Amino acid sequence: MTETALPETADLILFNGKVATLDRQNPQAEAVAVREGRVVLAGETREAMRLAGPKSAIIDVGGRRVIPGLIDSHMHIIRGGLNYNMELRWDGVTSLADAMDMLRRQVAATPAPQWVRVVGGFTEHQFAEKRLPTLEEINAAAPDTPVFILHLYDRALLNAAALRAVGYTRETPDPPGGEIVRDAAGNPTGLLVAKPNATILYATLARGPKLPPEYQKNSTRHFMREVNRLGVTSVIDAGGGFQNYPDDYAIIEELHRDGQLTVRIAYNLFTQKPKAELADFSAWSKQVKPGQGDDLYRHNGAGEMLVYSAADFEDFQVARPDMPPNMEGDLEPVIRLLAENRWPWRLHATYDETISRALDVYEKVNKDVPFDGLNWFFDHAETISERNIDRIAALGGGIAVQHRMAYQGEYFAERYGSRAAERTPPIRRMLEAGVPVGAGTDATRVASYNPWVCLSWLVTGRTVGGLALYPPANRLDREDALGLWTRANTWFSSEPEKKGQVKAGQLADLVVLSDDYFSAPEDRIADITSVLTLLGGKVVHGAGEFRTLAPDLPPAMPDWSPVRTFGGYQPRRAEGEGARRLAFSGCGCASACTVHGHAHAQAWASGLPVTDAGAFFGALGCACWAF
């Protein structure tokens, strides 16, 4: 880039890094310059420092790996944010003994009539004991405080106090789609089983107390900061059960108006009314349009629930459910409406049989209303066939995959065999067919929201319990896996070339890692975190030496919140040491920085080695250099 093409100064410069840009034309850099929220240069330190000015913030990342901000193409962040402060997370906990110790401590801190909720993000296979707690153990830990433990979408464990709180007795009938397990006398034991869908689990959880609006705002801010801590800067929200539009979007929209979003959100609308899905989408198509909003908060289309008769259930401990005969008749008018209104859509589909029937509908509608340019896609697709991959490619669709098999792979292998599990889903085959593929988590009620667990699964082919699922032919190298979490995911929100790379003109969403993703041992990929996360060039998370660069966050509300004691994802080890930093603007020596800012830039332009930087700035009297 020539000097005349560069802006006069940068607002922010990161230097002394190993930048994986994900830009094929410029794959590696050592410095990044940012102006007005966008990258203006990714290149050599000497080039970047020519853009330094009196008010530039300059940060030495100490040789650390820098990547684009991670994008989760399937997450339930809006619903998750409303509840995060109430949840005790077992995500990452490696022993049942530790999990139960956390439960007992939280029970002691939780006042009546509140519940202790462990709502997804873990599997029994991650525990050294390879089992869930018994109902007897839960009742002993919490004789009076209601406890609700959700395990994947197969079951929930309720103690006696929770059964009393929700009013389940021997007279309570089993709801459609679920079972209240009973003892010999007909009394509920506390075990709820999803048969054949998770409605009973959702509906029971919905009976618990909710946070008031001000606490929900605080909760959402803490959840956003938690995913920022893991390097996530963008999410495509897949809606969810009991997430009604527009009522349950009021909190996230208020935070957006107040400038408090630290994650970019593109949201899909999820129908809530069986037998009335078409009416939902007809009404919504008059209220909001795809793309409506801005770079922080925007509408993305329909799904993942389009019609209830097309939603298969992913409990691999039970036989595959057959969708009812009315599936195609329900789905066709919805797809026709969406295509006519140019609404992209996504559809939850676990099994190939469901995908086949949906594609029959899609191909029929496409003949009348071409899908050209509509970024529609399937979610999950664990058992998709080669034929259906090719059908998706021919129609211009995509596939968003999630690491559900990292949590349920043992169950799948037990039912269908290890050979069948080797291609669940067949990601390599999807890519070879030219289908857009993106990655995500499906957090928070099944898998964890931790993107590094997903990246570990993509690279190693192993479950969180250690089972080797995939042969090398169905695993990805580290660069390709990271590509599914950055550049590739922009297709799913119709935002290509806007983000996902460290590239001039793109949004300056950047992450400095605790460990080098490209060289860390495979078994440590899941332990990586961010030490510095920037959204549009602004710091939204800092750890270690970068901690003071991040804005303060109010304490988690209420004061008994599990977040105050335990946080979110539980690390196996402490985060890596933070790098040294240099921040010109906003520091205690702003006047010195202002005086010497141009001298800094001139020194870098004249070829001062990075190793001499400390001595040089010290000689100038800049106290903002942290040695």
Side-chain angles (χ1 to χ4, degrees), residues 490-620:
T490 63
W491 185 89
F492 296 84
S493 59
S494 302
E495 297 176 287
E497 293 301 315
K498 181 178 287 187
K499 55 187 177 181
Q501 302 168 79
V502 185
K503 181 178 179 181
Q506 293 205 6
L507 293 167
D509 300 344
L510 305 165
V511 178
V512 182
L513 299 180
S514 60
D515 296 282
D516 191 341
Y517 164 70
F518 289 99
S519 61
E522 281 192 349
D523 65 352
R524 308 312 296 188
I525 291 174
D527 299 314
I528 293 173
T529 60
S530 168
V531 295
L532 183 66
T533 304
L534 297 97
L535 186 77
K538 296 182 179 179
V539 175
V540 292
H541 161 75
E545 293 294 326
F546 298 101
R547 187 176 303 277
T548 58
L549 299 183
D552 291 333
L553 193 63
M557 301 164 63
D559 58 8
W560 52 264
S561 169
V563 174
R564 289 198 178 198
T565 303
F566 302 106
Y569 192 90
Q570 301 297 302
R572 289 193 299 177
R573 61 190 173 103
E575 294 181 359
E577 292 296 321
R580 296 184 299 172
R581 68 180 181 276
L582 174 62
F584 281 107
S585 60
C587 69
C589 62
S591 60
C593 292
T594 300
V595 171
H596 297 301
H598 287 294
H600 297 337
Q602 291 165 4
W604 282 109
S606 67
L608 181 73
V610 171
T611 53
D612 294 337
F616 174 76
F617 292 131
L620 286 175

Side-chain angles (χ1 to χ4, degrees), residues 418-541:
S418 58
R419 287 296 301 275
E422 289 180 353
R423 290 161 55 85
T424 53
I427 297 174
R428 274 288 175 203
R429 177 62 174 80
M430 297 172 184
L431 294 170
E432 290 165 359
V435 173
V437 179
T441 61
D442 198 11
T444 59
R445 293 185 176 175
V446 179
S448 174
Y449 52 79
N450 189 335
W452 299 101
V453 177
C454 182
L455 283 158
S456 175
W457 167 74
L458 291 168
V459 170
T460 70
R462 291 183 177 273
T463 69
V464 296
L467 177 66
L469 282 178
Y470 309 139
N474 198 37
R475 301 201 299 261
L476 302 183
D477 65 34
R478 299 190 194 204
E479 184 171 355
D480 287 345
L482 184 60
L484 297 192
W485 267 92
T486 52
R487 180 181 58 227
N489 268 343
T490 63
W491 185 89
F492 296 84
S493 59
S494 302
E495 297 176 287
E497 293 301 315
K498 181 178 287 187
K499 55 187 177 181
Q501 302 168 79
V502 185
K503 181 178 179 181
Q506 293 205 6
L507 293 167
D509 300 344
L510 305 165
V511 178
V512 182
L513 299 180
S514 60
D515 296 282
D516 191 341
Y517 164 70
F518 289 99
S519 61
E522 281 192 349
D523 65 352
R524 308 312 296 188
I525 291 174
D527 299 314
I528 293 173
T529 60
S530 168
V531 295
L532 183 66
T533 304
L534 297 97
L535 186 77
K538 296 182 179 179
V539 175
V540 292
H541 161 75

Side-chain angles (χ1 to χ4, degrees), residues 20 169 237 362 520:
T169 68
D237 185 273
Y362 293 2

Side-chain angles (χ1 to χ4, degrees), residues 204-375:
T204 303
L205 181 61
R207 292 172 180 245
K210 293 180 172 58
L211 293 174
E214 282 303 308
Y215 287 22
Q216 289 180 339
K217 287 168 59 178
N218 177 278
S219 178
T220 300
R221 293 183 66 190
H222 274 272
F223 189 35
M224 289 190 296
R225 180 68 67 94
E226 167 71 353
V227 299
N228 293 155
R229 184 183 71 84
L230 297 167
V232 175
T233 56
S234 291
V235 165
I236 306 176
D237 185 273
F242 294 87
Q243 185 177 324
N244 293 282
Y245 182 82
D247 295 351
D248 292 326
Y249 292 70
I251 295 297
I252 201 72
E253 291 183 354
E254 184 174 349
L255 291 170
H256 177 230
R257 288 193 301 270
D258 293 345
Q260 293 182 329
L261 291 188
T262 63
V263 176
R264 304 186 192 278
I265 298 174
Y267 63 93
N268 287 73
L269 295 184
F270 183 117
T271 185
Q272 302 290 322
K273 303 170 184 175
K275 308 298 184 184
E277 300 96 336
L278 182 62
D280 265 348
F281 289 115
S282 296
W284 291 337
S285 68
K286 298 176 177 64
Q287 296 174 2
V288 63
K289 302 297 181 185
Q292 183 174 316
D294 56 28
D295 290 338
L296 275 173
Y297 182 74
R298 64 198 301 273
H299 179 235
N300 196 53
E304 65 182 297
M305 183 71 77
L306 297 180
V307 296
Y308 279 79
S309 56
D312 59 11
F313 184 48
E314 69 276 11
D315 181 1
F316 299 127
Q317 297 184 78
V318 299
R320 175 185 63 81
D322 284 318
M323 298 298 96
N326 56 302
M327 170 184 157
E328 288 84 351
D330 293 344
L331 186 59
E332 181 180 337
V334 170
I335 296 301
R336 194 171 294 276
L337 173 77
L338 297 174
E340 288 172 347
N341 284 277
R342 307 305 293 169
W343 269 48
W345 69 85
R346 62 194 308 161
L347 178 65
H348 165 110
T350 302
Y351 295 100
D352 187 58
E353 291 81 359
T354 307
I355 294 169
S356 288
R357 293 176 63 181
L359 285 171
D360 290 344
V361 172
Y362 293 2
E363 289 166 346
K364 179 181 179 181
V365 175
N366 179 64
K367 292 178 181 178
D368 302 325
V369 189
F371 294 172
D372 297 345
L374 278 181
N375 290 15

